[in-house]
Amino acid sequence: MVPLLGHGVITSDGELYHRQRRTIQKAFTPAHIERHLVAIHRQAEKLCATWEDGSRWTCCTP
């Protein structure tokens, strides 16, 4: 997984994992996430509006 994802939180362990997790931890507090809910909701609405009945969605196409 490291060649694909690099040495991030998902693929790290030990001290590297703990250091990276402490670095990003504040970004995932409820208050921080709440500030982004409007933008997340807007993007989800835009994506859903592009769907057609019976169509298939793939995450790999822009």
Side-chain angles (χ1 to χ4, degrees), residues 18-38:
H18 291 289
R19 189 175 23 150
Q20 290 175 332
R21 187 165 186 287
R22 282 190 300 269
T23 301
I24 67 168
Q25 186 171 352
K26 292 178 184 173
F28 295 96
T29 62
H32 193 85
I33 291 172
E34 189 172 342
R35 284 182 273 184
H36 297 287
L37 283 179
V38 172

Side-chain angles (χ1 to χ4, degrees), residues 5-20:
L5 300 174
H7 294 282
V9 173
I10 295 173
T11 58
S12 299
D13 58 7
E15 179 54 34
L16 178 60
Y17 166 79
H18 291 289
R19 189 175 23 150
Q20 290 175 332

